[in-house]
PDB file of all heavy atoms in Angstrom:
ATOM      1  N   MET A   5     -70.950  -7.932 -23.058  1.00 54.00           N
ATOM      2  CA  MET A   5     -69.776  -7.784 -22.236  1.00 54.00           C
ATOM      3  C   MET A   5     -68.765  -8.878 -22.673  1.00 54.00           C
ATOM      4  O   MET A   5     -69.046 -10.037 -22.939  1.00 54.00           O
ATOM      5  CB  MET A   5     -70.262  -8.124 -20.773  1.00 54.00           C
ATOM      6  CG  MET A   5     -69.064  -8.001 -19.805  1.00 54.00           C
ATOM      7  SD  MET A   5     -69.814  -7.922 -18.099  1.00 54.00           S
ATOM      8  CE  MET A   5     -68.842  -9.187 -17.266  1.00 54.00           C
ATOM      9  N   ALA A  15     -50.764 -19.269 -16.824  1.00 97.00           N
ATOM     10  CA  ALA A  15     -49.393 -19.742 -16.791  1.00 97.00           C
ATOM     11  C   ALA A  15     -49.144 -20.773 -15.722  1.00 97.00           C
ATOM     12  O   ALA A  15     -49.778 -20.579 -14.601  1.00 97.00           O
ATOM     13  CB  ALA A  15     -48.415 -18.523 -16.744  1.00 97.00           C
ATOM     14  N   GLY A  19     -41.863 -26.947 -10.594  1.00 96.00           N
ATOM     15  CA  GLY A  19     -40.533 -26.935 -10.005  1.00 96.00           C
ATOM     16  C   GLY A  19     -40.611 -27.860  -8.760  1.00 96.00           C
ATOM     17  O   GLY A  19     -41.364 -28.799  -8.753  1.00 96.00           O
ATOM     18  N   GLY A  27     -56.283 -17.291 -12.965  1.00 93.00           N
ATOM     19  CA  GLY A  27     -57.301 -16.806 -13.961  1.00 93.00           C
ATOM     20  C   GLY A  27     -58.207 -15.824 -13.272  1.00 93.00           C
ATOM     21  O   GLY A  27     -58.048 -15.501 -12.119  1.00 93.00           O
ATOM     22  N   GLU A  40     -70.893  -2.274  10.745  1.00 96.00           N
ATOM     23  CA  GLU A  40     -72.067  -1.965   9.770  1.00 96.00           C
ATOM     24  C   GLU A  40     -71.932  -2.832   8.471  1.00 96.00           C
ATOM     25  O   GLU A  40     -72.981  -2.970   7.781  1.00 96.00           O
ATOM     26  CB  GLU A  40     -71.943  -0.437   9.396  1.00 96.00           C
ATOM     27  CG  GLU A  40     -72.277   0.448  10.567  1.00 96.00           C
ATOM     28  CD  GLU A  40     -72.251   1.900  10.203  1.00 96.00           C
ATOM     29  OE1 GLU A  40     -71.947   2.224   9.042  1.00 96.00           O
ATOM     30  OE2 GLU A  40     -72.560   2.725  11.058  1.00 96.00           O
ATOM     31  N   LEU A  41     -70.743  -3.350   8.183  1.00 97.00           N
ATOM     32  CA  LEU A  41     -70.696  -4.197   7.006  1.00 97.00           C
ATOM     33  C   LEU A  41     -71.003  -5.634   7.173  1.00 97.00           C
ATOM     34  O   LEU A  41     -71.381  -6.316   6.187  1.00 97.00           O
ATOM     35  CB  LEU A  41     -69.186  -4.100   6.527  1.00 97.00           C
ATOM     36  CG  LEU A  41     -68.588  -2.776   6.225  1.00 97.00           C
ATOM     37  CD1 LEU A  41     -67.071  -2.940   5.777  1.00 97.00           C
ATOM     38  CD2 LEU A  41     -69.325  -2.091   5.056  1.00 97.00           C
ATOM     39  N   ALA A  42     -70.938  -6.116   8.377  1.00 97.00           N
ATOM     40  CA  ALA A  42     -71.097  -7.528   8.635  1.00 97.00           C
ATOM     41  C   ALA A  42     -72.302  -8.218   8.100  1.00 97.00           C
ATOM     42  O   ALA A  42     -72.171  -9.275   7.431  1.00 97.00           O
ATOM     43  CB  ALA A  42     -71.040  -7.772  10.209  1.00 97.00           C
ATOM     44  N   VAL A  49     -71.404 -13.048   0.562  1.00 96.00           N
ATOM     45  CA  VAL A  49     -70.477 -14.182   0.438  1.00 96.00           C
ATOM     46  C   VAL A  49     -70.793 -15.380   1.361  1.00 96.00           C
ATOM     47  O   VAL A  49     -70.159 -16.433   1.308  1.00 96.00           O
ATOM     48  CB  VAL A  49     -68.997 -13.850   0.607  1.00 96.00           C
ATOM     49  CG1 VAL A  49     -68.559 -13.022  -0.650  1.00 96.00           C
ATOM     50  CG2 VAL A  49     -68.700 -13.099   1.870  1.00 96.00           C
ATOM     51  N   PRO A  54     -63.910 -11.509   9.104  1.00 98.00           N
ATOM     52  CA  PRO A  54     -62.798 -12.027   9.792  1.00 98.00           C
ATOM     53  C   PRO A  54     -62.188 -10.969  10.752  1.00 98.00           C
ATOM     54  O   PRO A  54     -62.369  -9.788  10.655  1.00 98.00           O
ATOM     55  CB  PRO A  54     -61.729 -12.232   8.648  1.00 98.00           C
ATOM     56  CG  PRO A  54     -62.193 -11.204   7.611  1.00 98.00           C
ATOM     57  CD  PRO A  54     -63.721 -10.988   7.822  1.00 98.00           C
ATOM     58  N   ALA A  62     -64.772 -20.406   2.059  1.00 96.00           N
ATOM     59  CA  ALA A  62     -65.623 -21.629   1.897  1.00 96.00           C
ATOM     60  C   ALA A  62     -65.792 -21.745   0.337  1.00 96.00           C
ATOM     61  O   ALA A  62     -66.408 -20.979  -0.270  1.00 96.00           O
ATOM     62  CB  ALA A  62     -67.023 -21.444   2.550  1.00 96.00           C
ATOM     63  N   GLY A  68     -61.416 -11.513   3.308  1.00 98.00           N
ATOM     64  CA  GLY A  68     -60.160 -11.291   4.029  1.00 98.00           C
ATOM     65  C   GLY A  68     -60.058  -9.909   4.621  1.00 98.00           C
ATOM     66  O   GLY A  68     -60.537  -8.885   4.109  1.00 98.00           O
ATOM     67  N   MET A  70     -58.064  -6.695   5.340  1.00 98.00           N
ATOM     68  CA  MET A  70     -57.028  -6.089   4.683  1.00 98.00           C
ATOM     69  C   MET A  70     -56.443  -4.922   5.533  1.00 98.00           C
ATOM     70  O   MET A  70     -55.283  -4.566   5.466  1.00 98.00           O
ATOM     71  CB  MET A  70     -57.344  -5.508   3.325  1.00 98.00           C
ATOM     72  CG  MET A  70     -57.848  -6.630   2.412  1.00 98.00           C
ATOM     73  SD  MET A  70     -56.736  -8.007   2.184  1.00 98.00           S
ATOM     74  CE  MET A  70     -55.663  -7.323   0.820  1.00 98.00           C
ATOM     75  N   PRO A  72     -57.981  -2.193   9.255  1.00 97.00           N
ATOM     76  CA  PRO A  72     -59.073  -2.029  10.133  1.00 97.00           C
ATOM     77  C   PRO A  72     -60.424  -1.672   9.517  1.00 97.00           C
ATOM     78  O   PRO A  72     -61.442  -2.026  10.039  1.00 97.00           O
ATOM     79  CB  PRO A  72     -58.631  -0.898  11.078  1.00 97.00           C
ATOM     80  CG  PRO A  72     -57.148  -1.054  11.065  1.00 97.00           C
ATOM     81  CD  PRO A  72     -56.780  -1.431   9.700  1.00 97.00           C
ATOM     82  N   VAL A 103     -65.752  -1.481  -4.423  1.00 98.00           N
ATOM     83  CA  VAL A 103     -65.279  -1.338  -5.724  1.00 98.00           C
ATOM     84  C   VAL A 103     -64.900  -2.722  -6.245  1.00 98.00           C
ATOM     85  O   VAL A 103     -64.154  -3.518  -5.618  1.00 98.00           O
ATOM     86  CB  VAL A 103     -64.011  -0.450  -5.765  1.00 98.00           C
ATOM     87  CG1 VAL A 103     -63.375  -0.334  -7.054  1.00 98.00           C
ATOM     88  CG2 VAL A 103     -64.400   0.882  -5.115  1.00 98.00           C
ATOM     89  N   VAL A 105     -62.482  -4.908  -7.969  1.00 98.00           N
ATOM     90  CA  VAL A 105     -60.984  -4.850  -8.268  1.00 98.00           C
ATOM     91  C   VAL A 105     -60.614  -6.108  -8.933  1.00 98.00           C
ATOM     92  O   VAL A 105     -59.347  -6.374  -9.085  1.00 98.00           O
ATOM     93  CB  VAL A 105     -60.207  -4.639  -6.979  1.00 98.00           C
ATOM     94  CG1 VAL A 105     -60.462  -3.201  -6.401  1.00 98.00           C
ATOM     95  CG2 VAL A 105     -60.420  -5.724  -5.947  1.00 98.00           C
ATOM     96  N   ALA A 110     -54.028 -10.121  -9.962  1.00 98.00           N
ATOM     97  CA  ALA A 110     -53.648 -11.429 -10.459  1.00 98.00           C
ATOM     98  C   ALA A 110     -53.533 -12.383  -9.262  1.00 98.00           C
ATOM     99  O   ALA A 110     -53.201 -11.954  -8.147  1.00 98.00           O
ATOM    100  CB  ALA A 110     -52.358 -11.354 -11.131  1.00 98.00           C
ATOM    101  N   VAL A 122     -41.004 -21.692  -0.829  1.00 97.00           N
ATOM    102  CA  VAL A 122     -40.944 -20.840  -1.996  1.00 97.00           C
ATOM    103  C   VAL A 122     -41.308 -19.380  -1.583  1.00 97.00           C
ATOM    104  O   VAL A 122     -40.662 -18.394  -1.972  1.00 97.00           O
ATOM    105  CB  VAL A 122     -41.893 -21.376  -3.065  1.00 97.00           C
ATOM    106  CG1 VAL A 122     -42.108 -20.277  -4.148  1.00 97.00           C
ATOM    107  CG2 VAL A 122     -41.360 -22.681  -3.631  1.00 97.00           C
ATOM    108  N   ALA A 124     -41.348 -18.132   1.561  1.00 96.00           N
ATOM    109  CA  ALA A 124     -40.481 -17.604   2.595  1.00 96.00           C
ATOM    110  C   ALA A 124     -39.275 -17.024   1.999  1.00 96.00           C
ATOM    111  O   ALA A 124     -38.649 -16.112   2.633  1.00 96.00           O
ATOM    112  CB  ALA A 124     -40.082 -18.749   3.555  1.00 96.00           C
ATOM    113  N   PRO A 128     -41.181 -11.105   3.592  1.00 97.00           N
ATOM    114  CA  PRO A 128     -40.659 -10.883   4.966  1.00 97.00           C
ATOM    115  C   PRO A 128     -41.698 -11.202   5.962  1.00 97.00           C
ATOM    116  O   PRO A 128     -42.132 -10.332   6.713  1.00 97.00           O
ATOM    117  CB  PRO A 128     -40.248  -9.394   4.943  1.00 97.00           C
ATOM    118  CG  PRO A 128     -41.231  -8.753   3.967  1.00 97.00           C
ATOM    119  CD  PRO A 128     -41.429  -9.863   2.940  1.00 97.00           C
ATOM    120  N   VAL A 129     -42.142 -12.446   6.034  1.00 95.00           N
ATOM    121  CA  VAL A 129     -43.176 -12.974   6.935  1.00 95.00           C
ATOM    122  C   VAL A 129     -42.652 -14.271   7.535  1.00 95.00           C
ATOM    123  O   VAL A 129     -42.057 -15.044   6.871  1.00 95.00           O
ATOM    124  CB  VAL A 129     -44.478 -13.244   6.252  1.00 95.00           C
ATOM    125  CG1 VAL A 129     -45.528 -13.845   7.086  1.00 95.00           C
ATOM    126  CG2 VAL A 129     -45.010 -12.034   5.564  1.00 95.00           C
ATOM    127  N   GLY A 134     -45.699 -23.076  12.777  1.00 95.00           N
ATOM    128  CA  GLY A 134     -46.115 -22.672  14.056  1.00 95.00           C
ATOM    129  C   GLY A 134     -46.571 -21.166  14.053  1.00 95.00           C
ATOM    130  O   GLY A 134     -47.391 -20.718  14.912  1.00 95.00           O
ATOM    131  N   PRO A 138     -53.491 -22.003   8.747  1.00 97.00           N
ATOM    132  CA  PRO A 138     -54.737 -21.777   7.953  1.00 97.00           C
ATOM    133  C   PRO A 138     -55.653 -20.780   8.696  1.00 97.00           C
ATOM    134  O   PRO A 138     -55.671 -20.732   9.883  1.00 97.00           O
ATOM    135  CB  PRO A 138     -55.370 -23.068   7.915  1.00 97.00           C
ATOM    136  CG  PRO A 138     -54.238 -24.052   8.050  1.00 97.00           C
ATOM    137  CD  PRO A 138     -53.279 -23.443   8.924  1.00 97.00           C
ATOM    138  N   ILE A 153     -51.158 -12.963   1.131  1.00 98.00           N
ATOM    139  CA  ILE A 153     -50.994 -14.437   1.024  1.00 98.00           C
ATOM    140  C   ILE A 153     -51.796 -15.099   2.096  1.00 98.00           C
ATOM    141  O   ILE A 153     -52.018 -14.456   3.184  1.00 98.00           O
ATOM    142  CB  ILE A 153     -49.522 -14.883   1.116  1.00 98.00           C
ATOM    143  CG1 ILE A 153     -48.896 -14.267   2.417  1.00 98.00           C
ATOM    144  CG2 ILE A 153     -48.740 -14.458  -0.142  1.00 98.00           C
ATOM    145  CD1 ILE A 153     -47.451 -14.848   2.716  1.00 98.00           C
ATOM    146  N   THR A 162     -52.284 -19.162  -1.578  1.00 98.00           N
ATOM    147  CA  THR A 162     -52.762 -18.306  -2.586  1.00 98.00           C
ATOM    148  C   THR A 162     -52.097 -16.887  -2.382  1.00 98.00           C
ATOM    149  O   THR A 162     -51.843 -16.515  -1.260  1.00 98.00           O
ATOM    150  CB  THR A 162     -54.286 -18.114  -2.488  1.00 98.00           C
ATOM    151  OG1 THR A 162     -54.952 -19.317  -2.828  1.00 98.00           O
ATOM    152  CG2 THR A 162     -54.799 -17.083  -3.492  1.00 98.00           C
ATOM    153  N   PHE A 166     -51.045  -7.047  -7.683  1.00 98.00           N
ATOM    154  CA  PHE A 166     -51.570  -6.273  -8.746  1.00 98.00           C
ATOM    155  C   PHE A 166     -51.359  -6.834 -10.148  1.00 98.00           C
ATOM    156  O   PHE A 166     -50.290  -7.541 -10.289  1.00 98.00           O
ATOM    157  CB  PHE A 166     -50.977  -4.785  -8.652  1.00 98.00           C
ATOM    158  CG  PHE A 166     -51.348  -4.032  -7.475  1.00 98.00           C
ATOM    159  CD1 PHE A 166     -50.469  -3.744  -6.487  1.00 98.00           C
ATOM    160  CD2 PHE A 166     -52.703  -3.564  -7.332  1.00 98.00           C
ATOM    161  CE1 PHE A 166     -50.842  -3.080  -5.330  1.00 98.00           C
ATOM    162  CE2 PHE A 166     -53.072  -2.712  -6.258  1.00 98.00           C
ATOM    163  CZ  PHE A 166     -52.101  -2.535  -5.229  1.00 98.00           C
ATOM    164  N   VAL A 173     -44.272 -11.171 -10.754  1.00 98.00           N
ATOM    165  CA  VAL A 173     -44.512 -12.114  -9.644  1.00 98.00           C
ATOM    166  C   VAL A 173     -44.466 -13.615 -10.086  1.00 98.00           C
ATOM    167  O   VAL A 173     -43.846 -14.384  -9.384  1.00 98.00           O
ATOM    168  CB  VAL A 173     -46.021 -11.761  -9.066  1.00 98.00           C
ATOM    169  CG1 VAL A 173     -46.367 -12.855  -8.026  1.00 98.00           C
ATOM    170  CG2 VAL A 173     -46.034 -10.430  -8.325  1.00 98.00           C
ATOM    171  N   GLY A 188     -34.355 -26.078   2.465  1.00 83.00           N
ATOM    172  CA  GLY A 188     -34.692 -26.875   3.662  1.00 83.00           C
ATOM    173  C   GLY A 188     -35.196 -26.041   4.858  1.00 83.00           C
ATOM    174  O   GLY A 188     -34.835 -26.513   5.966  1.00 83.00           O
TER     175      GLY A 188
END
Side-chain angles (χ1 to χ4, degrees):
M5 184 165 131
E40 293 181 359
L41 301 176
V49 291
M70 302 302 277
V103 178
V105 295
V122 168
V129 173
I153 56 172
T162 295
F166 290 109
V173 171

